[in-house]
Amino acid sequence: PSRSIVIDGIPCPIASPTPAPEAITLTCTMPVDEERVPGQDKVIVVTIDDEATVAEQTWEFLAPPVFLDIDPRAGRRSGGSVITVLGSNFGPVAFAPDRLIDIGGQACVNIEGGGDQLVCTT
């Protein structure tokens, strides 16, 4: 069957090349668009074989994150330093495990927080 997902009028390409006909989960990846207006209540429309369904849930586009500062500004080369990244638009606390923080080419792990600060360990 033909399938498509559109969020707030923007096509969201289905991630898997050809979902199985009996698949009950469709996954899509929103294209990058810096002009997209952040906010809630973006309508999700799923179309299968020309039959469109409006989802009961809505989607929220988050504003791009803004980095302001880091504390402390130095740490051990061997890692293990707990740092706080300050800024805005880091998203809900629930999204923290999905965030990526890279310091000097090294991943900062155990990310917690959201909103205007994230805490992680080098």
Side-chain angles (χ1 to χ4, degrees), residues 57-98:
Q57 300 83 5
T58 58
W59 179 261
E60 177 181 1
F61 292 116
L62 301 175
V66 176
F67 171 79
L68 296 176
D69 202 0
I70 189 170
D71 183 53
R73 293 182 180 229
R76 296 182 300 272
R77 234 177 227 244
S78 59
S81 299
V82 175
I83 64 162
T84 301
V85 178
L86 303 170
S88 60
N89 304 328
F90 292 144
V93 172
F95 289 178
D98 295 329

Side-chain angles (χ1 to χ4, degrees), residues 35-121:
E35 301 298 316
R36 192 170 293 135
V37 178
Q40 299 178 0
D41 301 329
K42 305 301 182 185
V43 176
I44 302 170
V45 178
V46 178
T47 304
I48 299 175
D49 287 339
D50 297 324
E51 186 174 325
T53 302
V54 177
E56 291 181 20
Q57 300 83 5
T58 58
W59 179 261
E60 177 181 1
F61 292 116
L62 301 175
V66 176
F67 171 79
L68 296 176
D69 202 0
I70 189 170
D71 183 53
R73 293 182 180 229
R76 296 182 300 272
R77 234 177 227 244
S78 59
S81 299
V82 175
I83 64 162
T84 301
V85 178
L86 303 170
S88 60
N89 304 328
F90 292 144
V93 172
F95 289 178
D98 295 329
R99 303 285 187 238
L100 300 174
I101 299 176
D102 182 288
I103 299 174
Q106 298 298 312
C108 200
V109 297
N110 302 323
I111 300 171
E112 297 178 359
D116 61 0
Q117 80 173 28
L118 296 173
V119 176
C120 64
T121 305

